[in-house]
Amino acid sequence: MWIAAAAALVVVLGVTVGVATGWGRGDRSTSSPSEAKSRGSELVVAVGDVAGGEFDPLKGWGSRPAQIRLIHSSLLTIDKDVNFVGDLASKYSVSDDAMSWSFTIRDGARWSNGEPVTAQDVVFTYETLKKDGTRFDLTFVDRIVAAGETQVTFHLKTPRSTFVSQLSEIPILPAKHYDTNYSRNPIGSGPYTVADYQQGQQLILKANPHWYGQRPQFTKLTFLFLGEDAALAAARAGSVDIAYVPPTFADQRIAGMTLQSFESIDSRGLSLPTLPAGNRGKIQGNDVSVGNDVTADPAIRKALNIGFDREEITKIVLQGHGRPAYTLVDSLPWFNEEAVFEDGRAEDAKRILAEAGWRDSDGDGIVEKDGRKAQFTLMYPSDDKLRSDLALVVAEQARTLGIEITTKGSTWDGIYLDGKANAVTWGGGRHHAHQLHSMYSSKGIDTGYNNMPQYSNSTVDAHLDRALSAATQDEANKHWKRAQWDGETGFAGEAGDAPIIWLVRIDHLYFVRDGLSLGDQPIHGHGHEWALFNSLVQWHWKD
């Protein structure tokens, strides 16, 4: 089918430290790794806070696909080979014109309260999210029809080549039990249920006795919210079994643990405002300043794009644990190989700047044009060491080209307010092509945090729209590639508009307790905090 694309255990991945009680139905008892390993029943996981405790897709739950698989199911999921396969759906089919998608709910699928999952629940979920319209774009869906308890069909207004992205990322909700307080007692059909949540401190999950899938070895999960430094300290102390580690710490040696590396499609780069200063826009519902007079000049963006030395950045920032990136989708079926070029060309970058009128007239090493210095601010989340390291390295390289970048650490809230008027260390990477549309289509402007650079190119828009509405994957891929570069224009490549300059694709690194198997991991998507958990039900202690 064309849509097939492309034991206490402590896992520490990434905000605050602490354990508290008082929310939900559970307790906070934990055991040491050695004690739990002999029981083989408990898993303690520490990550960044889980969507602020909002286990509701209308409020952000599911922004990482692996995240929802803890307590929810979706109609489809990905297997270890990154094929889209049935999850809550036991089987599905697509009409020849790609206008009708039909699903059969698997036998025995039940909510965590024991009630059966029905086709009406699927209809309710998608209609609710379509009406809301903020988290998922479902405007292309005409109607959703349930036939009996187990059959549901989506009738589309136009083909949607990336419909699999919603089908694999939208958690199904119980129609009878969903209300504005859903996050306080989320009822799901996934392998675990929420037992306790303390914002900024911990989340406790317990095995769902009604789960239809493979029974996990670990019947209790406790997530502790630790930052990177605290995670590494906990690993050194022997109190955790898995710890996410940024590349700069990967050479550490920890007794009883082994560094495991997982390939990802998780990329990092720079989002650069494409409009001049003085504009206004929206992000996450907030009215914000838009534009930057320096980065709005295409010559600045193109000079940086070819002037940055990606191999050197990979060596310094990733310590070799990754590879250079030229687009968000390098090596995927919709990647245009013409987007790859020789970089690290400082003299060519300087020539581009000079031809556009950027010259160093006062001899301070920074070029200027019309009395304006080539200076701008690059924002990064201050609790993310990889992005902070990236910001510092690119600032150093940019200086050799005659461009001065001032780095500024902030919270994500601060970045969302100021990021459309400044450069941002940006990231992304999914198992489908939809992010190309959300990041580069002018239709994404002022929608959530899509299209941060406020980028608009009518030719690119046309290719993105044709890719999105294609009836076959081959047709879609042709236009995804042309949006990157069609021989004359595009957002990628040496001569492209470069609203986002992609620099590196990272490997996800973890210290893992010896003897623990993490199952068959598919190539990881964006977000080391959650990408590891796609195979959670397969985790086990080796014999």
Side-chain angles (χ1 to χ4, degrees):
M1 183 173 293
W2 67 266
I3 58 173
L9 172 66
V10 179
V11 185
V12 182
L13 308 174
V15 182
T16 46
V17 182
V19 179
T21 60
W23 185 91
R25 306 174 301 282
D27 57 57
R28 62 184 290 262
S29 61
T30 60
S31 306
S32 70
S34 58
E35 291 171 342
K37 182 173 179 178
S38 65
R39 289 200 307 272
S41 63
E42 296 185 9
L43 174 67
V44 182
V45 182
V47 294
D49 201 347
V50 187
E54 297 288 2
F55 306 100
D56 183 342
L58 268 72
K59 300 177 180 179
W61 181 250
S63 59
R64 299 287 184 268
Q67 182 186 60
I68 67 170
R69 314 237 165 262
L70 298 174
I71 62 176
H72 290 95
S73 301
S74 54
L75 287 171
L76 301 181
T77 187
I78 60 169
D79 64 14
K80 64 181 180 65
D81 298 316
V82 198
N83 295 309
F84 287 92
V85 297
D87 181 7
L88 190 57
S90 59
K91 59 182 179 180
Y92 67 101
S93 61
V94 184
S95 63
D96 290 340
D97 62 3
M99 295 286 282
S100 297
W101 297 58
S102 299
F103 299 85
T104 300
I105 305 301
R106 65 173 63 247
D107 293 337
R110 293 187 174 275
W111 297 109
S112 52
N113 64 2
E115 297 175 6
V117 181
T118 69
Q120 286 74 22
D121 292 313
V122 176
V123 173
F124 168 79
T125 300
Y126 276 80
E127 286 186 341
T128 299
L129 289 169
K130 179 182 178 182
K131 181 179 179 181
D132 174 70
T134 58
R135 298 291 177 179
F136 295 93
D137 174 16
L138 295 170
T139 55
F140 60 92
V141 177
D142 183 20
R143 66 190 191 281
I144 312 166
V145 180
E149 296 295 293
T150 61
Q151 305 294 318
V152 62
T153 299
F154 294 80
H155 298 281
L156 309 186
K157 299 175 183 177
T158 181
R160 178 58 62 104
S161 65
T162 62
F163 192 23
V164 287
S165 67
Q166 284 98 339
L167 294 169
S168 61
E169 295 175 2
I170 289 179
I172 304 304
L173 300 168
K176 295 180 181 178
H177 301 284
Y178 180 82
D179 58 26
T180 55
N181 294 315
Y182 176 76
S183 286
R184 300 296 296 171
N185 184 24
I187 294 171
S189 54
Y192 293 92
T193 63
V194 176
D196 180 85
Y197 173 72
Q198 291 294 318
Q199 186 168 2
Q201 298 184 57
Q202 73 168 10
L203 166 69
I204 295 179
L205 304 179
K206 290 189 176 180
N208 176 8
H210 304 291
W211 163 241
Y212 54 77
Q214 175 184 340
R215 296 293 175 187
Q217 180 178 109
F218 304 102
T219 59
K220 179 180 177 181
L221 308 179
T222 301
F223 293 79
L224 303 179
F225 305 148
L226 300 177
E228 293 172 348
D229 291 340
L232 189 61
R236 288 198 189 101
S239 59
V240 301
D241 291 280
I242 298 179
Y244 164 73
V245 57
T248 50
F249 295 157
D251 61 349
Q252 302 283 328
R253 295 292 181 266
I254 298 179
M257 304 188 83
T258 302
L259 182 71
Q260 291 196 21
S261 174
F262 297 96
E263 184 181 357
S264 85
I265 51 177
D266 193 0
S267 299
R268 297 289 183 273
L270 309 183
S271 169
L272 300 170
T274 61
L275 296 179
N279 288 278
R280 302 296 296 177
K282 291 187 178 297
I283 187 168
Q284 305 293 76
N286 296 303
D287 185 54
V288 297
S289 297
V290 168
N292 183 288
D293 289 329
V294 175
T295 62
D297 190 327
I300 294 288
R301 304 195 303 272
K302 291 178 181 181
L304 290 172
N305 197 24
I306 71 165
F308 284 137
D309 186 335
R310 290 166 174 79
E311 286 285 357
E312 185 71 11
I313 293 171
T314 301
K315 184 186 303 183
I316 297 173
V317 177
L318 302 186
Q319 302 292 301
H321 295 289
R323 58 206 55 80
Y326 296 87
T327 75
L328 181 62
V329 296
D330 290 11
S331 77
L332 296 175
W334 34 88
F335 169 55
N336 187 343
E337 294 183 357
E338 293 182 18
V340 178
F341 52 88
E342 182 185 355
D343 63 2
R345 292 151 47 199
E347 293 308 311
D348 288 342
K350 293 175 182 178
R351 175 182 52 78
I352 289 173
L353 292 172
E355 290 176 352
W358 292 94
R359 292 180 173 82
D360 180 13
S361 60
D362 59 7
D364 67 349
I366 305 302
V367 297
E368 62 265 354
K369 178 180 179 180
D370 299 331
R372 183 183 304 279
K373 291 282 189 181
Q375 300 170 325
F376 62 89
T377 297
L378 171 61
M379 303 184 72
Y380 64 89
S382 21
D383 63 350
D384 187 325
K385 181 167 177 52
L386 191 155
R387 295 197 205 211
S388 66
D389 289 347
L390 179 64
L392 293 173
V393 172
V394 300
E396 182 177 350
Q397 288 197 2
R399 179 84 190 197
T400 66
L401 307 178
I403 299 172
E404 184 171 44
I405 297 177
T406 301
T407 62
K408 179 183 178 181
S410 181
T411 63
W412 275 114
D413 286 342
I415 289 172
Y416 290 148
L417 288 175
D418 298 330
K420 290 196 172 187
N422 298 284
V424 179
T425 53
W426 208 235
R430 292 288 179 88
H431 299 101
H432 49 76
H434 192 79
Q435 272 196 328
L436 293 180
H437 196 278
S438 60
M439 285 195 180
Y440 294 102
S441 171
S442 64
K443 293 179 180 177
I445 291 174
D446 293 339
T447 303
Y449 48 79
N450 295 325
N451 199 338
M452 280 291 286
Q454 303 283 98
Y455 172 64
S456 180
N457 179 319
S458 60
T459 301
V460 169
D461 278 349
H463 285 308
L464 292 174
D465 287 346
R466 292 184 67 180
L468 205 61
S469 62
T472 68
Q473 191 67 57
D474 286 344
E475 180 69 11
N477 289 349
K478 179 173 68 175
H479 288 288
W480 293 129
K481 292 177 181 181
R482 289 178 178 175
Q484 294 162 62
W485 181 251
D486 68 0
E488 295 183 2
T489 188
F491 57 74
E494 179 173 348
D497 296 328
I500 304 175
I501 298 178
W502 296 102
L503 297 169
V504 295
R505 178 182 286 189
I506 67 177
D507 293 335
H508 289 170
L509 307 174
Y510 310 86
F511 283 120
V512 180
R513 181 72 57 194
D514 293 342
L516 178 64
S517 171
L518 301 181
D520 294 324
Q521 293 280 334
I523 186 171
H524 285 192
H526 176 53
H528 62 262
E529 303 95 335
W530 295 105
L532 194 67
F533 301 117
N534 259 315
S535 65
L536 181 59
V537 296
Q538 301 175 16
W539 292 14
H540 63 277
W541 293 108
K542 300 175 185 177
D543 294 334

